Amino acid sequence: MKTEQELFRSFTIHNQLGMHARPAALLVQTASQYQADIKIIRDEEEIDCKSILNVMTLAAAQGATLKFVARGEDAENALNAIESLFEDKFGEA
Amino acid sequence: MAKHNSKTKPAKNITAPGISVSAGIVMGKALFVGRDLGAPEESELSAAEARKEVKRFEKALRQSREQLEGLRQQVAEVIGEHDARIFDAHLLIMDDDKLTREVKENIIQQKRNAEYIFQKIFERYTQALSKVDDPYIRDRIADIRDVANRIIKNLRGEPADDIRNLDHPRIIVAHDLAPSDTVSMTKEQVLGFVTRIGSRTSHAAIMARALQLPAVVGLGDSFQQIHNGDMLILDALRGTVIIDPDEKTIKRYKQRIKDQEKWFTMLESELALPTETKDGFRVQLAANIELPEEVDEIRSSFGVGIGLFRSEYLFINQPEAPSEEEQFQVYRQLAEKIYPQSVIIRTLDIGGDKFLSSQFSNEINPFLGMRGIRLSLSNPSAFKVQLRAILRASAFGKVRIMFPMISTLEEVKEALRYLQEARQELDAQGIDYHRYMDIGIMIEVPAAALLADKLAPYVDFFSLGTNDLIQYSLAVDRANPQIAYLYQPTHPSLIQLLENVVHVAYEHGKWVSICGEMASDSTLVPLILGLGIHELSMSSVSLPLVKRLIRRIRMYDAENLVREARQCGTSREVQTLCDQFIQNFVPDMFESNDND
């Protein structure tokens, strides 16, 4: 088996309106800039972070914590970029 | 223009009756706008064909992407970057690799055509999304359907129904039209609207009048006779749509279209004259608007005030509510531009058939639910943001404020308490506002009409919202075509309710106006005047005709009309009286002055 970097990180949603359509779009656009395979883990399933249709089914509210897993060379950078999105409240209130 | 492609087929020449909601006659081809994809056709493929099918799907994706990018650019240039962002969501959905991979894999595995596979997969996604407990996300299903529509149309080789790419303007045909459908329509692309459901007050009707386009709504089952590209005559003077007309009908209508232009020109020439009955009674006309941009035309063409500014259009289709500053700027501009006339700003009237993108619309019966003042009072902080913005604007012109959907005295008192708090906050900050701004309430719930004498001491004016008053009095959902006949503006009970409100207003020295669509129905204007309502606010498109009518009747006759109407037991009798009134006193109502 190929030794591939696999990183886990969790981020909390701070913007009032939660993961609605616009933050979902931002998240997908950001994730898509990286080679790494990025997933969000919900219950037992993995949600493809580069698929807008999948991310929109999350509908996570303010205060919810999302667990991310990234596999690939630029996994670290990808997660950092995603982290700053969350910290920035997706540019919202 | 009226060329027929029917070399062998005779013209169908079907006349479909509907409800005219915006006057005018136009002729043109039908363009369907809608999201109904219909059942996907399924065909089996060989392995080789399936591989070709994947290529065909990829091509349709490429085409769709190019169309969307073109559209985005066009809308950004013509309308603005903000509206263009709608297409970013579409593009993102189209770029969903997971989806497209899934479609391609399934075409190969199941050996079925692309339309079939694609639609099945898309339906699965929309179903998953429709279960999401978030109205923002559910709103996006419409975007997804738009994208799916486009891709499937490209797969089928059908022209995309982008109104912006049309060589000729078309008549828009739809089951119903939502604000998101009409947001980017302009007069250059659209001749008129035809819808299957709807009424005078549905969004399609309001938009048609705002854009001054003819519209016939509520076609019902005869709607199914219309096909994309059919030649249509939209006769919104008579309230009919003629589908695939024959040469004779086309010829007749070409003449009528010419005549109507002359008629409209004549109406316009009367606009500068005073609004006064033959026996010298002055009547105040005003305009209902929903978009701040409309104010320029109202001022330059009509010279009247704004009797109803529907502030909810600042909130609808926005990701979040506009701030106090944003609202203030809009209200201030309205006040300044319409000065020396006044503007009545109605506080947020959301609910019923209009919802914010942030609001749950899962009420079983929204018209009896959380709407108008009820919603505002349940969210005082947002309500006060609007109150402060309106108060601040009052320093820059003649601003009046009005609360919608009042049904109890407590609601009036509570709204006034928040208004007082807003005043005190502004005082504390040293911000200027008009201390004696007129305050009014909408009378649109029968309970309020009956309670008018208890409400009157707290307000300066009543505004009769007859659309809802009729709907609530007769317990009729005006958008339901099966019972639309019950939506009766001439119902004797309504006359009694209106009389009570007018009587109370006179007794308490308050003023009363009407801002329902009833005011723009020329056959009902004499009835309204006779009832003692001398301020009429309506869509600007109706102003010239109503003015022409008022100048041709006497108040004396209008009051007699009401006296007779009081004796009637049915709407039909009252309507007949009103029709006879027009025939007797203004027989030339619908004719142009020069007769050739």
Side-chain angles (χ1 to χ4, degrees):
Chain A
M1 202 165 110
K2 202 169 80 179
T3 50
E4 202 176 39
Q5 202 180 6
E6 185 179 67
L7 294 172
F8 289 86
R9 293 255 278 279
S10 291
F11 308 122
T12 303
I13 298 176
H14 294 295
N15 60 314
Q16 268 177 26
L17 300 169
M19 183 62 76
H20 65 85
R22 210 187 62 88
L26 268 175
L27 179 60
V28 171
Q29 280 164 344
T30 306
S32 303
Q33 290 166 10
Y34 297 88
Q35 294 297 316
D37 177 34
I38 306 166
K39 298 268 164 59
I40 302 165
I41 299 169
R42 179 179 63 183
D43 303 329
E44 253 99 87
E45 61 175 325
E46 288 191 345
I47 286 168
D48 188 336
C49 196
K50 293 180 182 175
S51 160
I52 184 71
L53 292 166
N54 278 270
V55 171
M56 285 206 299
T57 60
L58 271 175
Q62 184 182 21
T65 298
L66 299 180
K67 191 172 174 192
F68 285 78
V69 54
R71 303 178 188 93
E73 275 185 24
D74 54 1
E76 176 84 47
N77 290 341
L79 286 177
N80 287 344
I82 289 169
E83 180 170 28
S84 46
L85 270 185
F86 277 81
E87 279 179 356
D88 198 32
K89 298 185 187 176
F90 297 93
E92 298 185 346
Chain B
M1 204 175 107
K3 226 182 275 170
H4 259 249
N5 49 3
S6 51
K7 283 171 205 137
T8 46
K9 262 194 293 176
K12 285 189 278 184
N13 210 35
I14 302 166
T15 301
I19 308 162
S20 168
V21 293
S22 182
I25 308 175
V26 287
M27 192 165 6
K29 286 190 172 168
L31 174 70
F32 270 81
V33 171
R35 305 197 169 94
D36 193 4
L37 290 173
E41 58 268 40
E42 178 181 357
S43 49
E44 274 187 62
L45 307 173
S46 69
E49 283 170 330
R51 280 193 299 278
K52 268 194 205 148
E53 193 69 358
V54 170
K55 291 270 185 307
R56 199 167 71 86
F57 175 66
E58 285 170 342
K59 187 174 160 223
L61 275 182
R62 265 199 314 277
Q63 280 178 332
S64 306
R65 171 160 253 293
E66 279 165 20
Q67 288 163 1
L68 271 177
E69 280 171 346
L71 264 178
R72 194 203 182 289
Q73 200 182 342
Q74 225 173 325
V75 172
E77 282 165 14
V78 178
I79 302 168
E81 176 64 23
H82 184 265
D83 284 308
R85 281 187 213 144
I86 295 172
F87 299 105
D88 286 344
H90 290 196
L91 283 166
L92 204 58
I93 292 164
M94 201 160 289
D95 282 343
D96 198 316
D97 276 345
K98 188 153 189 257
L99 169 80
T100 50
R101 258 203 327 269
E102 210 177 327
V103 173
K104 289 184 215 166
E105 282 165 14
N106 274 280
I107 292 173
I108 298 289
Q109 282 163 12
Q110 297 186 33
K111 299 194 181 66
R112 292 290 188 280
N113 54 320
E115 289 95 332
Y116 176 77
I117 297 288
F118 175 70
Q119 192 156 341
K120 254 179 54 177
I121 290 172
F122 236 103
E123 285 303 326
R124 212 186 56 225
Y125 274 107
T126 48
Q127 261 173 28
L129 285 174
S130 64
K131 289 190 193 109
V132 171
D133 190 19
D134 181 331
Y136 277 98
I137 301 287
R138 286 199 305 261
D139 278 355
R140 298 277 76 79
I141 294 174
D143 292 335
I144 297 176
R145 288 204 181 282
D146 280 350
V147 172
N149 250 346
R150 180 178 302 281
I151 295 172
I152 287 190
K153 280 204 166 125
N154 280 324
L155 276 170
R156 288 178 184 162
E158 290 173 10
D161 61 357
D162 289 328
I163 49 168
R164 299 162 208 85
N165 286 342
L166 293 178
D167 43 352
H168 293 295
R170 306 284 178 98
I171 295 174
I172 301 294
V173 181
H175 180 78
D176 195 12
L177 287 169
S180 55
D181 296 319
T182 52
V183 65
S184 49
M185 290 185 188
T186 71
K187 281 189 80 158
E188 286 71 44
Q189 304 134 350
V190 180
L191 289 169
F193 298 131
V194 173
T195 67
R196 181 173 191 161
I197 62 167
S199 69
R200 284 197 64 83
T201 48
S202 52
H203 176 76
I206 290 169
M207 273 311 291
R209 288 192 295 272
L211 295 171
Q212 302 193 14
L213 294 171
V216 171
V217 303
L219 230 55
D221 286 341
S222 45
F223 179 85
Q224 285 161 308
Q225 307 278 350
I226 307 175
H227 299 96
N228 212 12
D230 273 356
M231 179 58 75
L232 299 180
I233 293 171
L234 171 54
D235 181 349
L237 292 181
R238 288 163 188 80
T240 57
V241 177
I242 302 169
I243 305 158
D244 191 13
D246 57 23
E247 291 300 333
K248 218 175 83 196
T249 313
I250 289 175
K251 214 177 140 199
R252 193 169 69 236
Y253 266 94
K254 278 189 171 163
Q255 187 57 42
R256 283 187 180 165
I257 289 170
K258 237 192 254 163
D259 286 348
Q260 77 166 350
E261 276 163 20
K262 201 160 58 186
W263 191 61
F264 281 125
T265 316
M266 182 214 48
L267 280 182
E268 272 170 35
S269 67
E270 289 186 14
L271 273 175
L273 303 170
T275 314
E276 200 175 81
T277 61
K278 273 163 82 179
D279 48 354
F281 278 86
R282 273 288 173 126
V283 177
Q284 190 81 40
L285 294 183
N288 296 346
I289 65 169
E290 44 253 1
L291 304 171
E293 302 88 71
E294 289 174 79
V295 72
D296 294 311
E297 199 214 340
I298 303 294
R299 186 186 47 176
S300 59
S301 311
F302 303 103
V304 299
I306 308 295
L308 170 61
F309 173 62
R310 300 184 168 99
S311 67
E312 52 273 17
Y313 284 85
L314 299 177
F315 295 76
I316 291 173
N317 275 336
Q318 300 297 325
E320 44 209 291
S323 67
E324 177 182 325
E325 192 59 29
E326 286 168 325
Q327 290 187 52
F328 164 62
Q329 291 302 343
V330 172
Y331 304 151
R332 173 186 169 164
Q333 278 198 17
L334 276 177
E336 287 178 336
K337 283 186 173 168
I338 206 69
Y339 189 83
Q341 303 284 345
S342 63
V343 51
I344 299 179
I345 300 173
R346 181 174 70 186
T347 62
L348 191 58
D349 189 14
I350 289 290
D353 57 357
K354 299 185 282 281
F355 292 97
L356 299 181
S357 44
S358 59
Q359 186 190 354
F360 282 91
S361 54
N362 53 5
E363 289 176 303
I364 289 171
N365 204 337
F367 274 104
L368 301 183
M370 189 56 123
R371 58 172 301 206
I373 195 72
R374 302 169 183 182
L375 187 70
S376 290
L377 293 177
S378 76
N379 190 352
S381 53
F383 187 39
K384 266 166 57 180
V385 166
Q386 185 169 36
L387 295 178
R388 286 167 51 100
I390 295 172
L391 280 169
R392 287 171 61 190
S394 70
F396 296 88
K398 285 186 195 156
V399 175
R400 283 142 186 191
I401 189 171
M402 175 160 80
F403 303 118
M405 269 303 282
I406 294 290
S407 50
T408 69
L409 178 56
E410 289 93 332
E411 284 166 350
V412 178
K413 288 185 176 172
E414 211 181 329
L416 292 177
R417 187 165 58 78
Y418 288 124
L419 188 63
Q420 188 56 27
E421 284 180 22
R423 285 195 189 105
Q424 286 162 352
E425 287 165 15
L426 292 179
D427 283 338
Q429 293 169 273
I431 299 174
D432 201 19
Y433 60 90
H434 189 299
R435 274 173 202 273
Y436 305 103
M437 174 174 68
D438 270 8
I439 300 160
I441 53 174
M442 292 279 290
I443 302 289
E444 50 192 335
V445 180
L450 293 169
L451 198 68
D453 63 325
K454 303 295 188 297
L455 305 174
Y458 295 88
V459 298
D460 301 300
F461 67 93
F462 294 133
S463 186
L464 295 157
T466 44
N467 302 344
D468 279 334
L469 193 57
I470 296 165
Q471 152 156 299
Y472 292 133
S473 297
L474 290 158
V476 53
D477 176 356
R478 57 200 182 192
N480 181 341
Q482 285 175 294
I483 49 161
Y485 71 92
L486 264 176
Y487 187 78
Q488 299 172 349
T490 52
H491 196 273
S493 68
L494 188 77
I495 294 176
Q496 286 193 35
L497 288 172
L498 297 182
E499 281 212 289
N500 184 57
V501 177
V502 173
H503 175 74
V504 166
Y506 276 54
E507 216 165 46
H508 285 78
K510 312 291 180 178
W511 51 279
V512 57
S513 67
I514 183 168
C515 65
E517 291 303 328
M518 193 178 165
S520 58
D521 184 336
S522 48
T523 65
L524 301 182
V525 168
L527 187 73
I528 292 168
L529 296 184
L531 280 165
I533 303 162
H534 301 158
E535 292 209 27
L536 283 66
S537 191
M538 65 198 73
S539 320
S540 61
V541 64
S542 305
L543 286 168
L545 183 59
V546 169
K547 181 162 202 164
R548 176 177 163 87
L549 176 72
I550 291 171
R551 290 178 49 79
R552 275 163 182 69
I553 63 174
R554 293 191 302 172
M555 192 63 88
Y556 173 81
D557 298 321
E559 282 166 0
N560 273 339
L561 168 68
V562 171
R563 229 163 269 136
E564 282 180 68
R566 277 194 205 112
Q567 310 305 317
C568 297
T570 66
S571 307
R572 187 178 287 271
E573 287 170 74
V574 178
Q575 186 66 55
T576 305
L577 283 177
C578 293
D579 291 342
Q580 280 168 358
F581 184 98
I582 300 290
Q583 279 162 28
N584 290 342
F585 295 107
V586 258
D588 62 339
M589 188 60 204
F590 295 101
E591 287 162 31
S592 51
N593 281 346
D594 42 24
N595 3 291
D596 59 334

